[in-house]
Amino acid sequence: MNYELGKVGFRLLAKRGNANSLPATATIRNAVSQNQFLQVVLVSPQIPGNAGCIARTCAASAVGLHLVGPLGFKVDDTKLKRAGLDYWPYVVVRVHRSWEEFQGYFKQQEGQKRLLAFTKRGTAIHSDFSYRKGDYLIFGSETCGLPCDVLVDCKNETFGGGTIRIPMVDTYVRCLNLSVSVGIALYEASRQLKYEQLQGSSGSGNASEQSFLTEDIFA
């Protein structure tokens, strides 16, 4: 099915799959990378409600979302759909089978880009860190956090931008909710970029310049 994009420029981009057998990422005119501001990456998310809430936040803040397997839910999960409400048509979601597959996708993207790991053991505080266009904000599983290989990549001199933490009292709270963490980080980064990705996000754009093929995972 062919969709025309307005200035918001986002549609759901994924195919049916499950936690153990995700579809290969489709090569569809670099749809996610049309937005060169910020992108959110969830590595092995386990709770569909969190992923749905994060998709809603990405729609509201005009950024793309990547789901990196293995996932703890099916991409057509009812809870996932319910948490995202009717905002799914306004966010691009790209599914990757593994971190290695995401790495390949990331390296193929043009322009300035960095991998930023959000972890409770991060070396920089989220509000002190200087964000820039092309940053990928990486978040781990609700149960296990980010794997070691992902942290290594985020510290790599070539593409890594470092590790970041959100301050909290950790004596009796193990961690913040994943969707809350994404919201805090994404809006701080957006604030520093003066919410540039939101400029002119309503109304209609040039559809001939912004169209791509997509399959709605909830169809």
Side-chain angles (χ1 to χ4, degrees):
M1 184 176 295
N2 188 33
Y3 287 92
E4 294 183 348
L5 302 184
K7 290 184 179 179
V8 173
F10 301 98
R11 287 293 185 271
L12 189 58
L13 178 59
K15 291 187 177 180
R16 293 181 181 85
N18 56 51
N20 299 315
S21 180
L22 291 176
T25 53
T27 304
I28 304 180
R29 295 189 58 187
N30 239 1
V32 175
S33 63
Q34 286 180 359
N35 170 37
Q36 295 296 323
F37 293 94
L38 298 167
Q39 308 218 23
V40 170
V41 182
L42 305 182
V43 181
S44 296
Q46 300 298 302
I47 302 174
N50 281 338
C53 288
I54 291 167
R56 181 176 178 177
T57 299
C58 289
S61 52
V63 302
L65 173 63
H66 299 261
L67 301 179
V68 179
L71 307 182
F73 49 83
K74 295 180 179 179
V75 292
D76 58 356
D77 193 293
T78 301
K79 293 180 180 178
L80 179 68
K81 181 177 181 180
R82 184 184 302 122
L85 297 178
D86 55 348
Y87 300 104
W88 283 108
Y90 304 103
V91 58
V92 167
V93 180
R94 193 175 189 108
V95 181
H96 308 264
R97 287 195 186 98
S98 64
W99 179 251
E100 289 72 23
E101 187 171 280
F102 171 78
Q103 282 178 314
Y105 166 86
F106 175 81
K107 291 176 180 179
Q108 291 175 1
Q109 304 312 299
E110 299 178 355
Q112 188 180 55
K113 55 185 183 289
R114 293 187 300 181
L115 298 172
L116 306 179
F118 283 81
T119 167
K120 64 186 302 181
R121 297 178 179 82
T123 58
I125 294 177
H126 80 288
S127 54
D128 294 338
F129 188 84
S130 295
Y131 302 90
R132 64 192 189 203
K133 295 178 183 179
D135 282 345
Y136 286 67
L137 312 184
I138 317 293
F139 298 85
S141 162
E142 294 92 335
T143 55
C144 302
L146 286 170
C148 292
D149 56 340
V150 175
L151 291 172
V152 169
D153 284 346
C154 291
K155 297 175 183 177
N156 183 281
E157 292 184 2
T158 303
F159 295 118
T163 59
I164 303 170
R165 74 179 188 274
I166 299 172
M168 57 172 282
V169 175
D170 58 4
T171 53
Y172 49 84
V173 177
R174 291 189 302 275
C175 62
L176 293 171
N177 174 270
L178 178 60
S179 62
V180 170
S181 297
V182 171
I184 291 172
L186 183 53
Y187 270 84
E188 172 58 26
S190 298
R191 182 193 67 82
Q192 290 189 22
L193 296 177
K194 303 184 185 303
Y195 301 102
E196 189 174 349
Q197 80 272 22
L198 300 180
Q199 303 302 315
S201 61
S202 60
S204 58
N206 188 335
S208 64
E209 295 179 357
Q210 294 181 310
S211 63
F212 61 91
L213 297 177
T214 180
E215 180 182 350
D216 189 333
I217 64 175
F218 298 128

